[in-house]
């Protein structure tokens, strides 16, 4: 079930909130768990049992930490969780590459990757490791842990929520009209980012893919549209997840912090998908030694982390290449480029914008052949020789407003203007009435687009 769907907005969500706020406090987690199962089962009923089994592994592992040797429990439970992830997400990737290298003909498995398995697997693993490290107490109530893992706001596309961040909230969270109001505001803004901006950019990307007149300029327009589409799609989903969590009494950490104002690739990744970045930092990079064992070891650790980061995103070589490119860029910046970038904010931001637009073409490629084709044509070494064409001009004019809006919106300028304006007493008073009206209008406009539109995928569902 999509957040940006009529079913979710007008049926599922009102019913869930009505039940959630009607039942006594001690039953709220049970309502949350059951509603999350319904939410997940709406699209993939059979994989609900896989998720429950994964939760059970984490729950049992936590209980056994005090009764059995901790390390074997840790290893067995983490391996079991990773087994499901690897089997469903990566088995056919391995079979394909074995067949290609060894000239064998092993058949592909008829498996479909369960939506959200990458996200909830990481949450379960973080819980197991945190219990092992004694950073958190084991959860004795299965339904509390299950409610945390399966919580529908962040179940299928994050952010990756740590148990340590919300363990107290599972039993002692508070609900207030202020939090609910903020949650609604955040949800509607996220919905608007997704429906009114990301979906339109996605349409432009699809037009380019189907175009019979791909010129060099059109390739670069596609690159910018792809980068912005992924940002507004995923950050919009994260906004909705944070808003829904707030309405339910939970405070999730931010997942994006205006990454396009960054002055380096390193800074970009401190602002983009922050829950994933901190997960790899705390559970892979630091345990490997981080930067404590010298420069050579640090370089190896960065390569390992970014290989895994790329592979986490998808079972294709373009994701691995994408991750390793960022590893090399981060290493170059740490060893040499940082000092150069500090000398000019303008040049550093152009450099960052250029790198990100190119790398997200690699990220969004359907396979390595498409990746090579798109990148080569962008840099004048492909088959495409024409710089511009009539079709490119037509769609550039048609989508110029949404491209301009998305570029400005991605920089955070609207937020700065809004906060500055509210410092004026008169504007602040007017905003008390204007803000709810604008939110209602945005919600209705988004709904009308959902009724009429056909482009409504969530890109991160495939991860």
């Amino acid at each position: 079930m999509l957040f940006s769907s009529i079913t979710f907005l007008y049926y599922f969500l009102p019913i869930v909130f009505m039940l959630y706020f009607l039942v006594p406090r001690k039953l709220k987690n049970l309502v949350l768990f059951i509603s999350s199962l319904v939410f997940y089962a709406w699209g993939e009923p059979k994989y609900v049992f896989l998720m429950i089994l994964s939760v059970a592994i984490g729950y049992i592992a936590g209980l056994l930490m005090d009764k059995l040797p901790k390390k074997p429990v840790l290893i067995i439970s983490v391996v079991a969780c990773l087994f499901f992830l690897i089997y469903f997400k990566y088995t056919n990737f391995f079979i394909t590459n074995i067949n290609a290298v060894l000239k064998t003909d092993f058949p592909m498995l008829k498996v479909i990757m369960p939506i959200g398995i990458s996200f909830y697997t990481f949450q379960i693993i973080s819980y197991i490791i945190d219990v092992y490290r004694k950073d958190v107490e084991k959860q004795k109530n299965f339904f509390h842990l299950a409610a945390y893992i399966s919580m529908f706001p962040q179940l299928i596309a994050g952010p990756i929520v740590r148990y340590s961040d919300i363990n107290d909230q599972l039993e002692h969270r508070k609900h207030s009209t202020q939090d609910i109001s903020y949650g609604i505001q955040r949800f509607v803004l996220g919905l608007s980012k997704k429906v009114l901006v990301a979906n339109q950019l996605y349409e432009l990307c699809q037009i380019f893919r189907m175009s019979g007149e791909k010129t060099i300029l059109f390739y670069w327009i596609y690159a910018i549209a792809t980068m912005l589409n992924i940002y507004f799609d995923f950050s919009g989903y994260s906004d909705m997840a944070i808003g829904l969590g707030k309405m339910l009494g939970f405070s999730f950490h931010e997942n994006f912090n205006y990454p396009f104002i960054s002055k380096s690739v390193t800074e970009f990744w401190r602002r983009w998908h922050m829950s994933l970045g901190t997960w790899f930092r705390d559970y892979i990079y630091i345990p490997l030694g981080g930067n404590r064992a010298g420069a050579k070891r640090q370089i190896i650790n960065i390569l390992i982390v970014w290989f895994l980061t790329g592979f986490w995103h998808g079972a294709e070589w373009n994701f691995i290449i994408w991750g390793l490119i960022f590893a090399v860029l981060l290493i170059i910046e740490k060893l040499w480029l940082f000092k150069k970038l500090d000398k000019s904010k303008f040049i550093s931001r152009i450099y960052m914008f250029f790198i990100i637009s190119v790398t997200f073409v690699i990220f969004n490629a359907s396979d390595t052949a498409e990746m090579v084709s798109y990148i080569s044509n962008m840099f004048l070494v492909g088959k495409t020789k024409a710089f511009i064409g009539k079709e490119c001009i037509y769609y550039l004019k048609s989508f110029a407003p949404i491209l301009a809006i998305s570029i400005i919106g991605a920089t955070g300028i609207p937020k700065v203007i809004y906060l500055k304006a509210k410092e004026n007493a008169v504007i602040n008073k007017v905003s008390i009435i204007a803000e709810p009206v604008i939110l209602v209008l945005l919600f209705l406009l988004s709904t009308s687009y959902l009724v009429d539109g056909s482009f409504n995928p969530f890109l991160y569902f495939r991860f």
Side-chain angles (χ1 to χ4, degrees):
M1 190 184 300
L2 298 175
F3 286 176
S4 55
S5 68
I6 299 300
T7 302
F8 180 83
L9 294 172
Y10 286 93
Y11 297 98
F12 177 83
L13 201 56
I15 292 172
V16 168
F17 277 120
M18 181 181 67
L19 293 173
Y20 180 81
F21 286 106
L22 283 176
V23 300
R25 181 179 295 273
K26 63 181 180 180
L27 295 179
K28 290 190 186 299
N29 283 344
L30 180 60
V31 170
L32 185 57
F33 174 55
I34 294 173
S35 60
S36 296
L37 293 184
V38 173
F39 175 84
Y40 193 77
W42 196 267
E44 296 188 344
K46 62 183 179 180
Y47 289 130
V48 167
F49 301 103
L50 175 65
M51 183 179 66
I52 294 174
L53 177 58
S54 299
V55 173
I57 291 171
Y59 175 72
I60 294 170
L63 295 180
L64 293 178
M65 286 290 182
D66 293 336
K67 300 178 180 179
L68 297 174
K70 292 171 62 176
K71 201 160 191 176
V73 173
L74 170 71
I75 294 171
I76 292 171
S77 57
V78 169
V79 168
C81 291
L82 288 175
F83 170 79
F84 295 136
L85 178 61
I86 292 170
Y87 175 77
F88 285 100
K89 189 170 182 177
Y90 300 105
T91 301
N92 283 335
F93 172 80
F94 292 130
I95 292 174
T96 299
N97 285 279
I98 289 171
N99 286 340
V101 173
L102 302 180
K103 308 301 180 183
T104 52
D105 192 26
F106 295 115
M108 298 293 110
L109 298 183
K110 295 180 179 180
V111 295
I112 299 174
M113 188 185 76
I115 291 176
I117 190 171
S118 299
F119 288 93
Y120 72 69
T121 297
F122 270 29
Q123 291 192 175
I124 295 170
I125 290 174
S126 69
Y127 166 74
I128 295 170
I129 294 174
D130 286 350
V131 173
Y132 171 81
R133 293 173 174 174
K134 296 185 177 181
D135 292 337
V136 297
E137 293 293 327
K138 63 187 177 185
Q139 177 54 256
K140 296 179 181 179
N141 188 312
F142 175 80
F143 291 108
H144 287 350
L145 184 65
Y148 150 65
I149 297 295
S150 67
M151 198 182 306
F152 71 86
Q154 46 80 57
L155 171 60
I156 52 181
I160 300 172
V161 179
R162 308 278 188 89
Y163 178 77
S164 58
D165 293 331
I166 66 166
N167 60 331
D168 290 335
Q169 299 171 41
L170 283 168
E171 298 183 40
H172 305 295
R173 61 187 177 276
K174 297 179 181 179
H175 304 88
S176 68
T177 54
Q178 185 178 0
D179 284 345
I180 293 173
S181 175
Y182 174 78
I184 293 172
Q185 179 187 34
R186 193 68 183 270
F187 179 85
V188 173
L189 290 175
L191 179 68
S192 302
K193 286 168 69 174
K194 163 60 184 166
V195 177
L196 304 180
V197 180
N199 284 5
Q200 313 314 309
L201 293 168
Y202 179 81
E203 185 174 355
L204 175 58
C205 293
Q206 292 303 99
I207 288 170
F208 169 81
R209 286 178 175 274
M210 294 184 291
S211 172
E213 191 186 58
K214 291 184 174 71
T215 59
I216 293 167
L217 179 59
F218 210 173
Y219 274 102
W220 280 99
I221 293 170
Y222 166 78
I224 294 170
T226 294
M227 172 183 66
L228 293 169
N229 172 38
I230 292 172
Y231 169 69
F232 279 98
D233 186 277
F234 192 23
S235 67
Y237 186 97
S238 294
D239 286 340
M240 286 187 275
I242 291 168
L244 288 170
K246 205 68 174 177
M247 287 185 263
L248 293 167
F250 294 95
S251 294
F252 301 153
H253 288 308
E254 295 294 335
N255 209 22
F256 290 86
N257 183 23
Y258 296 105
F260 293 107
I261 67 171
S262 303
K263 298 186 291 296
S264 66
V265 173
T266 302
E267 184 183 355
F268 177 87
W269 279 105
R270 290 173 182 159
R271 294 173 174 270
W272 176 283
H273 202 173
M274 295 184 289
S275 63
L276 180 68
T278 55
W279 196 98
F280 274 109
R281 180 196 66 196
D282 295 343
Y283 298 107
I284 303 293
Y285 182 70
I286 292 176
L288 285 173
N291 58 2
R292 303 187 305 273
K296 289 184 179 179
R297 184 65 211 181
Q298 184 184 14
I299 290 172
I300 293 172
N301 292 342
I302 291 173
L303 289 169
I304 292 171
V305 165
W306 280 94
F307 169 84
L308 294 174
T309 300
F311 207 28
W312 178 89
H313 279 88
E316 296 288 348
W317 279 106
N318 62 294
F319 290 112
I320 295 174
I321 293 168
W322 174 80
L324 291 176
I325 287 172
F326 274 116
V328 172
L329 289 169
L330 291 169
I331 291 168
I332 291 172
E333 286 187 355
K334 287 180 183 296
L335 296 179
W336 168 70
L337 198 55
F338 263 148
K339 294 179 180 179
K340 303 288 185 181
L341 294 174
D342 282 340
K343 293 181 179 180
S344 172
K345 291 182 179 180
F346 177 77
I347 292 175
S348 63
R349 288 196 169 97
I350 294 296
Y351 150 80
M352 187 281 304
F353 196 83
F354 171 78
I355 292 293
I356 299 303
S357 61
V358 172
T359 53
F360 272 94
V361 171
I362 297 172
F363 177 89
N364 204 45
S366 58
D367 51 41
T368 51
E370 182 178 276
M371 175 192 75
V372 172
S373 173
Y374 281 21
I375 295 298
S376 61
N377 283 303
M378 287 170 65
F379 289 96
L380 314 180
V381 293
K383 295 180 181 179
T384 301
K385 302 302 178 184
F387 179 76
I388 195 170
K390 292 181 179 179
E391 192 173 344
C392 173
I393 295 172
Y394 173 80
Y395 286 115
L396 179 58
K397 289 180 179 179
S398 300
F399 285 89
I402 195 65
L403 285 168
I405 289 169
S406 59
I407 290 171
I408 295 170
T411 63
I413 291 174
K415 183 178 180 180
V416 173
I417 295 172
Y418 167 77
L419 293 176
K420 192 70 177 176
K422 288 199 73 172
E423 293 177 2
N424 183 286
V426 176
I427 294 176
N428 191 39
K429 288 181 180 179
V430 172
S431 69
I432 296 173
I433 298 174
E435 285 180 11
V437 173
I438 292 171
L439 289 173
V440 170
L441 291 175
L442 285 173
F443 183 79
L444 293 176
L445 183 60
S446 298
T447 299
S448 67
Y449 267 78
L450 292 175
V451 172
D452 295 335
S454 57
F455 294 98
N456 192 36
F458 264 121
L459 299 179
Y460 263 70
F461 279 11
R462 60 180 169 146
F463 307 133

